[in-house]
Every structure is written in structure tokens, then in C-alpha cells.
Amino acid sequence: MPERDVVTWTALISGYVKHGMMKEARLLFDHPSAKKNVITWTALLAGYFRFKKISDAEKIFEQMPEKNVVSWNTMISGYAENGRIQDAYDLFKIAPERNVVSWNTIITSLAQVGKVDEAYELFKRMAERDVISWTAMVTGLSQNGRIDEARKLFDRMPEKNVVSWNTMVTGYIQNMRLSEALFLFERMPERDLPSWNTMITGFIQNGDMKRARRLFDDMPERNVISWTAIIMGFAQDGQCEEAIKLFSRMQRDGIKPNQATFVSVLGACSSLAGIIEGKQIHQIINKTNFQLSTFVESALISMYAKCGEIGTGREIFDRSNQKDLVYWNTMVAAYAHHGNGREAICLFEEMQESGFKPDDVTYVALLSACGHSGLVKEGLKYFDELVKNGSIETREDHFACFVDLCGRAGQLDEAVKFIDGLRIKPSACVWGALLSGCNVHGNMKIGKLAAKRLLEVEPNNAGTYMLLVNIYASAGKWKQASKWRLKMKTRGLKKQPGCSWIEVNNRVHVFVAHDRSHGEAKGIYCLLKDLYRELKRAGYVPRVNVD
């Protein structure tokens, strides 16, 4: 260029900043012939904040020969976006000039860290407010549980846009007031995609999949967030077949899945043991950039393991060049799921040798693996190691694993002593683990205690009644066993029959206990009788008291 003015220099410097090339931007900025004005300085300032180079931003701000309201706002928002709210507030207070953006930035920042009263005081002092100011304050109040105050402010708003309405609907949903959220949603003068997605997510979080699906079907248009929300909702609700069908429909509609979509649908495949569907989805993933996502690869490992192909899961694990703690935990959990305790322990040791420190999730998987494999001694050793490790906080799942290990070892008195010493109220899974141990060892006294505590937490759990019936029956206490059966019947509780399924030649075969509806039932039962005869010949004695 024969001649360069300040606009040209600013344009090129800003271009480098936008592309994250801060070194190149700074070289141009410091060039002896560079022409700069307040806009040029502010562009570089914003770039440093964007890439979290806060000390460089502070130096630039101090060196600025001229500062305008945009420069001050850039500095205030830069501090706020990097979590330095107090610094942002201090700067706001000494700013020589403020506009509505300055006020909106600091009000939003204070509300986000729970300083709602301070934010509200500033809001009241504002000489001029726009729709963003009102919306920011409504958001702050609703996010901090002050939903009724948020609604009063919302009703006072002189002007509302779709974002304001969405904010209020979201606030009601976050505060578990779904009927009021729906009331507002139905009266919105206009709705955008976030409006529909927010309401659908609210129904899903409330466990109302029927209304979520009805709303989803009524949507005038859908994006990947809409599809992912409904797929995730059905998967979490246990309606995994529906989740997989929706994924197929999403593909037909030409919507490209994102990371969360793949993780959700792979979880559905895992629950159904749908290996064919899982492999098809794996093929789709291989054609996208998500094949390198740690979350997607972890979901694939889990899916293959839960569908019985743990070898394939291990291959994915071994091939990965970006193993993080999530990967290691997923693989240890996969071995636990298959009862491969020794392999889980070896992997745990390999993980530590590779420089990864186990967390609370690692220990849950490891202790489960030991329990499922009968490695009681090893499990108790690792639990002791966990307790001595002060950096990891023990939680309910760890306690349940410990009680389960004690139960398997017949150390039921020690398990009770451990539960009594807990600083938190024992959960259903802890009492359930103790009751299962009592069932295995026929300990009626402790079993009765465990069942009583478990029924206080889950009064309508039919499985608890059946375990207690089994404990009494195994001890020959038929009268007490009948008494508990009667209690169960009086409450209208029924134990769900055992159910299993297997996929052969693209067809899923479902088997329910005592059901003879399968087309090959005659041949299947003949084979079972032959197997039973072989088991008896080998010395197996069935526990006939267990339902």
C-alpha cells in the first residue's frame, strides 16, 4: 500500500486478534510506523482478555494514552468474564464515564456470583435502562431462587422481547414451577427456538415425557438442541428404543448430531444391549470430528462393554492418543460390569504408573469390580487406601461398596458398626447392600434391621420385602416369611419378573420368568432340563427359597 492510515492499521491488527494470532497483532501494534487510536488500543485489550492474558491486558490499559467508555467497558467485562468480579466492580466505581452497557455488565456479573442485593441496588440507581438491563436483573433474581421478585420485575418491564420471556420461563423451570412456566410460554407473543427448547427441557427434567414429546412434535422447526434434548430425555427415562428411533428420524431429517446426541444415543444402546444399533452409530461417528471427542470415545467403550464386547471396548481404549481420567474410569467400570476384577486392578495400577491420580469415580468402579469378582480382601484394602487418601472425598457409593464387600465376606457386624459410624444418613443403596449380605449369609437379626431402615427410605420397594422373606425362609421361620408376604400383598406390591433378551440375526428375543410364549419355548425348556440334570450331576444344590 502506498499509504496507510489509522483505519488500515486498526483493521489488520483487529484481524489478527480475531484469529487468535496475538503475537502477530502485537508486532504490528508495536511497529515504529504504526498508526493507532483508542479503537486500536481497545481491540488489542479485548484480544488479551479473550485469550485470558489478563496481566498483558492490564499493562495495555495502563499504557493507553486515551481511554473512552468502550475501553473502560472492555476492561470491566474482561475482568468479569474471567471471574474477577471484585476487580470489575472496583473499576466500574472509578470509571469516569459510564453508559448503559457498563451498568448492564456489572449488574449481570454481580448477580451471577450471588450478589443479588448489590446488583439490585445498582439497577435501582440506573438513570437509563434498556430491555437488557431489565432482563439481566430478572435473570439474576430467578437464578438465585427469588423467582417471585423476578416475576414482579418482569411484569413491570416497559418493554419485553423474546429473550425476556425466555428468561422468565427458564426461571420458573429452574425453580421447579413448571405450571407457571407453561402459563407464560402459552402467552408469549412470539417464540423462538430457545423458547421451545427451554419448555421441552423443563418437562423432561420434571419426568413428564408425554408432554415433552407432544411439544416437540408441535415445534414449527427444530435444531440439534431440540433433537438432543428429546433423545436424552427418553434415554434417561428408560425408553431407550424410542430414543434410538428418534435418532434415526433425526438423521432422516438431515440434522447433524452433536457430541451430546451421540453420548445419549450410545447410552440408550448400552441399556438395550443393542450392539447392532451401537455399531451403526459408531460408523456414523467415524465420519465426523466427534470420533476424537473424549466423551464420545468413553461412551463407545461403555457401550461395547455393556453389550458384551469388552474386547472391542479395550481396543478403542488402547488406540486412543488422548486418554484422560474419564477414559481410565470408563475402562475400569467396564471391567467391573463384566466381573473382571483382576483386569480392573491391573488397569488401575497401570493408570497410576501413567501419572493419573484416581478420583472418587475411579474408586467406585474399582471397588465394584472387586465386589463383583469376589475379591473381598483386595476390595477392603483399596477402601482403606481411599479413606487414608485425604484428597478424595468419600461418598455414598463408596460406603455401599464397602458394606457390599463386608457382606460378601460375612463380616456383617463390622458392616453395621461402619454404618453406625457414618456422619451422614445412610442411603437406600447402603442398606440394600447390607440386606443382600444378610440374605447370602442368612443373618435374620441384622437383615430385619436393614430391611426396616430400607423400607423407611423406600417403603414401596418390593425387592426389599422379597429379600426379607428369603432370609426368614432360609432360617425355617415360615410364619414370619408369610407375614411379610402378606404385608407386601396388602400394599399391592409385586416383584417384577426377571427379564432378559438377546439379539440373534437382527431379531430381539425377550424372555420373562415363567413365560412360555416364545415360539421355541418347547425346545428351550427341554435344553434347560438337560442343563439342570448336568448341574445336579456336578453337585449343584439350588437355593429353592430365593424367588
Side-chain angles (χ1 to χ4, degrees):
M1 290 180 74
E3 188 180 341
R4 304 174 189 126
D5 60 9
V6 68
V7 176
T8 313
W9 281 95
T10 302
L12 195 57
I13 290 167
S14 298
Y16 277 117
V17 167
K18 284 177 185 175
H19 284 80
M21 301 166 75
M22 292 304 296
K23 284 183 181 178
E24 292 84 347
R26 188 59 192 261
L27 282 169
L28 271 177
F29 184 84
D30 291 336
H31 196 278
S33 60
K35 293 178 181 177
K36 298 169 274 191
N37 62 11
V38 68
I39 299 170
T40 325
W41 283 83
T42 305
L44 194 66
L45 177 68
Y48 280 131
F49 270 124
R50 182 181 160 197
F51 296 100
K52 301 192 182 300
K53 296 185 176 182
I54 299 169
S55 60
D56 289 326
E58 289 172 330
K59 286 173 189 172
I60 284 287
F61 188 71
E62 286 170 12
Q63 293 166 9
M64 285 180 77
E66 177 195 354
K67 300 181 183 91
N68 63 11
V69 69
V70 178
S71 317
W72 284 90
N73 286 348
T74 301
M75 198 69 194
I76 291 165
S77 64
Y79 274 138
E81 286 164 10
N82 285 276
R84 292 173 59 169
I85 308 301
Q86 192 56 50
D87 288 331
Y89 195 18
D90 292 341
L91 203 65
F92 170 82
K93 286 188 277 191
I94 63 168
E97 185 185 354
R98 302 171 191 146
N99 61 12
V100 71
V101 175
S102 323
W103 289 85
N104 290 346
T105 301
I106 202 66
I107 285 168
T108 302
S109 304
L110 288 169
Q112 282 175 347
V113 294
K115 295 183 177 181
V116 191
D117 290 325
E118 289 178 63
Y120 210 173
E121 284 304 313
L122 285 176
F123 177 79
K124 289 173 186 174
R125 281 168 46 196
M126 285 181 77
E128 178 192 352
R129 301 177 189 135
D130 60 10
V131 69
I132 297 170
S133 320
W134 287 87
T135 305
M137 200 61 242
V138 169
T139 303
L141 288 166
S142 61
Q143 283 179 344
N144 287 276
R146 293 162 68 169
I147 189 67
D148 292 321
E149 289 176 73
R151 179 58 189 270
K152 285 175 185 174
L153 202 64
F154 176 79
D155 290 338
R156 280 173 46 206
M157 284 180 74
E159 178 196 351
K160 300 182 184 84
N161 60 16
V162 69
V163 177
S164 319
W165 284 88
N166 287 345
T167 297
M168 197 64 233
V169 170
T170 303
Y172 275 128
I173 287 169
Q174 288 172 341
N175 287 273
M176 303 302 290
R177 287 165 65 168
L178 201 62
S179 57
E180 286 147 302
L182 184 60
F183 178 85
L184 276 184
F185 176 79
E186 289 172 341
R187 281 152 186 79
M188 287 179 73
E190 77 169 295
R191 298 171 188 152
D192 59 6
L193 264 169
S195 317
W196 291 87
N197 291 340
T198 300
M199 202 64 236
I200 288 168
T201 304
F203 281 129
I204 291 168
Q205 289 172 348
N206 205 49
D208 194 341
M209 287 309 301
K210 282 186 179 178
R211 284 208 282 183
R213 179 58 186 271
R214 198 156 52 235
L215 209 61
F216 176 81
D217 290 337
D218 289 342
M219 287 181 79
E221 62 172 316
R222 306 179 188 98
N223 62 6
V224 65
I225 297 169
S226 323
W227 284 98
T228 301
I230 200 73
I231 289 167
M232 190 183 294
F234 276 112
Q236 290 173 349
D237 195 51
Q239 300 184 54
C240 297
E241 285 183 42
E242 193 59 36
I244 294 170
K245 283 178 187 175
L246 279 164
F247 179 79
S248 299
R249 190 175 144 198
M250 176 186 180
Q251 294 283 102
R252 288 196 301 273
D253 283 9
I255 306 294
K256 290 182 179 179
N258 62 17
Q259 177 178 274
T261 322
F262 283 126
V263 170
S264 297
V265 76
L266 285 170
C269 293
S270 300
S271 299
L272 283 175
I275 188 64
I276 290 173
E277 292 83 358
K279 284 180 175 178
Q280 288 170 349
I281 292 162
H282 191 177
Q283 290 301 314
I284 296 167
I285 291 167
N286 285 339
K287 297 171 187 173
T288 70
N289 292 332
F290 296 114
Q291 62 182 307
L292 303 174
S293 159
T294 55
F295 292 104
V296 172
E297 280 197 331
S298 293
L300 280 167
I301 292 167
S302 181
M303 183 274 294
Y304 277 114
K306 288 180 180 177
C307 290
E309 295 197 11
I310 194 166
T312 308
R314 183 60 194 256
E315 283 173 21
I316 296 170
F317 175 82
D318 290 337
R319 278 201 308 267
S320 177
N321 295 320
Q322 49 179 3
K323 292 186 187 76
D324 60 6
L325 191 57
V326 174
Y327 270 73
W328 290 95
N329 288 348
T330 302
M331 199 64 228
V332 173
Y335 280 130
H337 184 78
H338 279 260
N340 296 349
R342 294 290 176 196
E343 288 85 346
I345 290 171
C346 288
L347 194 67
F348 175 75
E349 290 171 355
E350 186 185 330
M351 168 186 151
Q352 289 179 304
E353 287 167 9
S354 300
F356 288 92
K357 289 185 178 180
D359 63 0
D360 58 326
V361 178
T362 320
Y363 275 102
V364 170
L366 183 66
L367 294 171
S368 298
C370 291
H372 293 162
S373 310
L375 302 174
V376 176
K377 187 179 175 184
E378 291 85 346
L380 293 173
K381 182 194 91 170
Y382 285 120
F383 183 82
D384 187 54
E385 182 184 292
L386 168 65
V387 172
K388 287 176 181 174
N389 186 336
S391 62
I392 301 174
E393 188 177 348
T394 50
R395 53 187 174 89
E396 284 182 1
D397 291 339
H398 300 123
F399 304 148
C401 287
F402 177 80
V403 172
D404 178 61
L405 287 161
C406 288
R408 289 172 189 271
Q411 300 171 12
L412 297 169
D413 288 324
E414 188 176 331
V416 173
K417 188 179 175 184
F418 171 77
I419 293 170
D420 288 341
L422 289 176
R423 287 171 293 177
I424 61 166
K425 186 179 178 182
S427 64
C429 58
V430 172
W431 289 116
L434 181 62
L435 186 57
S436 295
C438 294
N439 186 41
V440 170
H441 295 282
N443 191 315
M444 196 167 53
K445 182 183 174 184
I446 296 176
K448 191 176 178 181
L449 167 73
K452 184 183 176 184
R453 295 285 183 266
L454 187 54
L455 288 172
E456 286 172 5
V457 183
E458 296 179 343
N460 295 320
N461 189 332
T464 305
Y465 285 90
M466 289 310 304
L467 280 172
L468 200 53
V469 167
N470 290 336
I471 291 169
Y472 279 120
S474 62
K477 305 282 185 181
W478 303 108
K479 190 175 179 181
Q480 286 92 331
S482 299
K483 177 185 166 187
W484 281 99
R485 276 190 184 275
L486 184 63
K487 278 187 181 181
M488 184 177 168
K489 191 176 179 181
T490 306
R491 281 183 169 268
L493 301 175
K494 286 185 180 180
K495 185 178 181 293
Q496 290 295 319
C499 178
S500 61
W501 57 91
I502 187 170
E503 191 171 323
V504 181
N505 296 329
N506 293 332
R507 185 186 163 199
V508 177
H509 299 263
V510 180
F511 300 94
V512 180
H514 308 300
D515 178 29
R516 292 178 180 265
S517 62
H518 192 275
E520 300 291 332
K522 194 173 179 181
I524 291 166
Y525 277 98
C526 284
L527 180 61
L528 284 171
K529 283 179 183 177
D530 291 340
L531 282 170
Y532 183 62
R533 276 196 293 270
E534 291 297 320
L535 284 165
K536 282 186 76 175
R537 198 174 291 144
Y540 171 72
V541 179
R543 293 179 62 198
V544 294
N545 63 296
V546 179
D547 288 65

